Amino acid sequence: MNQEALLSAFTHLRDNLLSMSRHILQNEDDASDAIQEAFCRLWPLRDKIKDEKEASALTMTTTRHICIDQVRQKSRFTEYNPECCDECDDPNADSDTLAERFQTVKRLIDSELTETQRHILEMRDFRGFEIEEIALQLDMQPTAVRMNLSRARKAIREQYKKLNEHDR
């Protein structure tokens, strides 16, 4: 497929994409950004898309997934925020202790993981990317992404347990 067909699919669907994105994201600017992001993600695949019908389906699906990812990302936290933490509802939980736990895990991520593992962990757990999206962006196989993610989580879990056992 050539670039004109992909451009045509985006042009014909723009109003529908904007409406759908606006509905999911509840924000005009974010909706426009989601459409732009979808186009950017599909552009490198333009030669693999068979026809305009497939381009339209991929455009709608990609835009929808991007919107959902943005909603997920907004619901996750990247800095410690007591209002976002389930443990904060526990009357026995001390907010200083929770903040310390969060900072400990953050230090472990920075010190114990490889750069690739850190990047994959951030993309998956903090930004809400799907495994396939991470693999595409990092030019890796999805199985390699899953393996790195699993090893990263395991390393953090083990180091955290060692620290807790040492402190007791």
Side-chain angles (χ1 to χ4, degrees), residues 2-104:
N2 57 28
Q3 66 189 24
E4 288 84 19
L6 184 60
L7 289 170
S8 175
F10 265 95
T11 303
H12 287 102
L13 292 173
R14 178 145 176 80
D15 291 338
N16 291 339
L17 293 170
L18 195 55
S19 177
M20 176 187 65
S21 298
R22 236 188 273 120
H23 177 73
I24 295 171
L25 298 171
Q26 302 295 311
N27 183 300
E28 183 79 26
D29 292 336
D30 289 345
S32 295
D33 290 346
I35 295 169
Q36 178 84 24
E37 176 69 21
F39 183 77
C40 290
R41 286 187 190 180
L42 289 175
W43 186 253
L45 305 174
R46 67 188 177 275
D47 293 330
K48 296 178 183 176
I49 298 172
K50 296 175 188 153
D51 54 23
E52 192 170 337
K53 183 177 178 182
E54 183 181 8
S56 296
L58 282 171
T59 300
M60 290 296 287
T61 303
T62 302
T63 304
R64 182 174 179 274
H65 287 174
I66 289 169
C67 292
I68 291 169
D69 289 345
Q70 286 183 11
V71 169
R72 285 182 188 155
Q73 183 179 351
K74 287 179 183 177
S75 69
R76 295 179 183 194
F77 57 93
T78 55
E79 294 297 324
Y80 174 70
N81 182 354
E83 285 100 36
C84 295
C85 182
D86 292 336
E87 291 182 64
C88 296
D89 295 332
D90 180 1
N92 299 325
D94 181 288
S95 64
D96 290 337
T97 304
L98 295 173
E100 289 172 15
R101 289 180 193 168
F102 183 82
Q103 291 303 322
T104 300

Side-chain angles (χ1 to χ4, degrees), residues 103-113 118 155-161 163:
Q103 291 303 322
T104 300
V105 170
K106 192 173 178 185
R107 279 194 302 277
L108 288 172
I109 289 170
D110 291 339
S111 65
E112 298 295 325
L113 301 181
R118 275 193 309 271
I156 297 303
R157 192 169 39 251
E158 288 174 358
Q159 290 300 319
Y160 189 81
K161 284 180 183 178
L163 285 174

Side-chain angles (χ1 to χ4, degrees), residues 149-166:
L149 184 62
S150 175
R151 288 180 181 172
R153 289 175 175 164
K154 182 178 179 183
I156 297 303
R157 192 169 39 251
E158 288 174 358
Q159 290 300 319
Y160 189 81
K161 284 180 183 178
K162 282 182 185 179
L163 285 174
N164 281 343
E165 289 172 5
H166 184 266

